[in-house]
Structure formats: structure tokens, C-alpha cells
Amino acid sequence: MNILEEFWYGNIEPAEYDTSSGKEYKELLQLISRNEDKLLATMTEKQKELFTKYADRVREYRT
């Protein structure tokens, strides 16, 4: 059976493949956060405003 058939017949659950609880995922989020903080520390207020709007839209798109 292929993955779609397995899913159709209830043999797999999408929640079983949640990557948000994985160690690598958490480490990546921490790295992103640290780098974002470093970047924001070098920006002017206008640049911070633009970057914040951009980052908010990216986060909105991913959820």
C-alpha cells in the first residue's frame, strides 16, 4: 500500500508525524529566535517595523 491508501484505511494518523515536538525542531526555533534578536539589535526603528511586519506574515503563512 502507498501512503495515501494507508491514510485512507486509517492505518496512520497525521498527528503521529508532528515535527513540532522533535528535538531538532526545537533547536532550530531557538536558533531562529537568537538570530532574529541579533538582527533586530542592528536595525533602525523603521527597519525593525518593516522586518516585524514581514516576520509576522511569514509566521501567519506557516500556521
Side-chain angles (χ1 to χ4, degrees):
M1 268 189 220
N2 67 34
I3 190 89
L4 291 177
E5 289 173 324
E6 294 284 346
F7 178 68
W8 177 259
Y9 292 110
N11 297 331
I12 60 171
E13 293 287 330
E16 293 174 6
Y17 300 97
D18 181 18
T19 60
S20 63
S21 61
K23 180 183 176 186
E24 295 86 7
Y25 184 78
K26 289 179 181 178
E27 289 173 355
L28 182 58
L29 286 179
Q30 289 174 345
L31 177 62
I32 290 170
S33 180
R34 282 194 310 267
N35 287 334
E36 188 174 308
D37 290 343
K38 288 178 184 179
L39 182 61
L40 285 169
T42 67
M43 294 179 165
T44 65
E45 289 304 313
K46 189 172 182 176
Q47 290 170 328
K48 287 179 185 179
E49 182 181 329
L50 180 60
F51 179 76
T52 300
K53 287 179 183 179
Y54 165 78
D56 289 346
R57 295 301 75 79
V58 168
R59 289 182 185 107
E60 182 179 302
Y61 174 75
R62 290 184 181 169
T63 58

